[in-house]
Amino acid sequence: MQIVRDYDYVDQADRGASVAIGNFDGVHLGHQSVIDIARTQARALGAPLGVLTFEPHPREYFAPRTAPFRLMGREARANRLQKLGVEKLYELNFNAAMAALSPHDFARNVIAHGLGLRHVVVGADFCFGKGRAGDARDLERFGRDMGFGVTIAELLEGRKGQVSSTAIRTALTEGRPRDAAAMLGHWHRIEGLVEGGEQRGRELGYPTANMSIQGLHPPRFGVYAVLVDVLDGPHAGHYHGAASLGVRPMFNGEVPNLETFLFDFSGDLYGSELSVALIDYLRPEETFDSLDAFIAQMDADCAKARDILKSL
């Protein structure tokens, strides 16, 4: 998958795609339906399939002090889009110049002239341009004038209402990862590098791979049954495990992180990239009267997680 970050400097080979436009946080089923429409148009036109998105997320740009809300970082989003067969990822810099473009200028400068797109697909609630002044119908009109096709996709309804990143965040906040997965169309995953920790897990017989969740929407703190993909290095592969997400109250922690214990694994994962899928919420974070009680609970957590994961 080719990644393009500046619409002013685009190779000829990266122009002329059929693209889905949006932020694609989570790449949920609604996003996938928009991408599928763009895929159909790409095949009809003999064009590459693309996605046009922004980094940072416009919400982060306009409200940098807002609480973390993203379901996935840029690398995780790119990984997911590549799995869906996206060939061109136009991950454009969202900066003051981009934010100042009027709807007309965005359509002309970015879509028509900059990227030379042949067809674009947007959701029915799509807004764009300075002050979000343009909507999907405006884009349709600009497309007729500027020579690119436009399809407006209806919003996707799930079993429990509209599929949205907001609804997925709510499910994760409430400790319902399977409900989140039903809207995502895949397990919710936290991806990142394994960082050095305080080695407490190793001392207790439960060595963990520690990962930051900085910048991400925090799911409900507690213990989860997880599936783990080690994405690189000598231990690359798929594993089952149990993970603690939160601040480690037993050890007076303050900064939330994800600590994952891989079942039946031995090796060094420092510096490796992991993708940890939350499958089931087992229990909230707790403090215990003794380390023996804590270890007994971890034994029970892992036994329960093994039982859940063997049925997948």
Side-chain angles (χ1 to χ4, degrees):
M1 182 176 70
Q2 184 71 23
I3 299 179
V4 176
R5 294 195 169 95
D6 190 335
Y7 67 88
D8 281 328
Y9 301 95
V10 182
D11 291 341
Q12 187 62 35
D14 293 326
R15 295 171 60 82
S18 170
V19 308
I21 304 180
N23 291 309
F24 297 98
D25 188 26
V27 194
H28 57 58
L29 288 175
H31 298 144
Q32 292 172 46
S33 69
V34 175
I35 293 170
D36 283 342
I37 295 171
R39 189 192 321 275
T40 298
Q41 292 293 333
R43 288 171 178 165
L45 294 168
L49 171 62
V51 159
L52 170 55
T53 190
F54 306 95
E55 194 64 41
H57 190 295
R59 183 171 160 186
E60 291 176 311
Y61 175 82
F62 288 114
R65 293 181 178 83
T66 191
F69 66 91
R70 292 183 67 151
L71 294 170
M72 53 173 49
R74 66 192 301 173
E75 294 86 0
R77 180 177 60 190
N79 289 341
R80 178 57 56 181
L81 291 172
Q82 185 169 25
K83 289 178 181 177
L84 293 175
V86 172
E87 300 166 83
K88 308 290 183 182
L89 174 55
Y90 302 104
E91 190 182 76
L92 302 184
N93 297 317
F94 196 89
N95 51 26
M98 180 69 73
L101 290 176
S102 69
H104 180 274
D105 287 347
F106 179 84
R108 181 189 60 193
N109 298 357
V110 178
I111 295 176
H113 294 171
L115 301 178
L117 302 179
R118 296 181 66 185
H119 198 93
V120 300
V121 184
V122 297
D125 60 349
F126 179 71
C127 293
F128 68 107
K130 184 178 180 180
R132 294 171 57 85
D135 61 19
R137 294 300 176 189
D138 292 322
L139 187 62
E140 199 171 42
R141 176 167 51 84
F142 293 143
R144 286 194 298 268
D145 295 341
M146 299 177 190
F148 57 87
V150 177
T151 299
I152 301 174
E154 295 300 318
L155 300 180
L156 186 68
E157 294 285 334
R159 290 178 303 168
K160 297 182 179 180
Q162 191 179 114
V163 174
S164 69
S165 298
T166 298
I168 293 164
R169 290 185 200 102
T170 298
L172 294 171
T173 298
E174 295 175 354
R176 298 185 283 112
R178 287 189 185 252
D179 287 346
M183 291 182 279
L184 285 164
H186 53 84
W187 298 113
H188 176 66
R189 290 180 172 270
I190 296 172
E191 298 188 4
L193 295 177
V194 177
E195 303 176 343
E198 298 176 355
Q199 305 293 319
R200 288 200 181 97
R202 189 176 304 277
E203 294 169 2
L204 298 173
Y206 283 94
T208 58
N210 302 327
M211 297 161 58
S212 171
I213 62 167
Q214 184 178 5
L216 298 178
H217 171 79
R220 185 181 179 186
F221 287 175
V223 178
Y224 290 82
V226 298
L227 295 176
V228 184
D229 288 343
V230 179
L231 301 178
D232 57 9
H235 303 294
H238 309 288
Y239 303 87
H240 290 183
S244 175
L245 193 156
V247 295
R248 306 171 304 285
M250 186 70 181
F251 301 104
N252 299 313
E254 295 181 355
V255 179
N257 74 344
L258 180 68
E259 299 185 350
T260 304
F261 173 65
L262 281 64
F263 299 154
D264 309 314
F265 174 83
S266 178
D268 184 356
L269 290 173
Y270 289 131
S272 297
E273 186 173 0
L274 264 60
S275 176
V276 180
L278 306 184
I279 307 302
D280 270 333
Y281 183 81
L282 304 183
R283 64 171 176 86
E285 288 192 300
E286 301 177 55
T287 56
F288 297 86
D289 294 334
S290 67
L291 287 180
D292 286 342
F294 184 39
I295 293 171
Q297 182 60 61
M298 289 193 292
D299 291 342
D301 293 337
C302 289
K304 186 174 182 179
R306 284 181 183 274
D307 189 53
I308 289 169
L309 296 170
K310 71 181 181 184
S311 64
L312 295 180

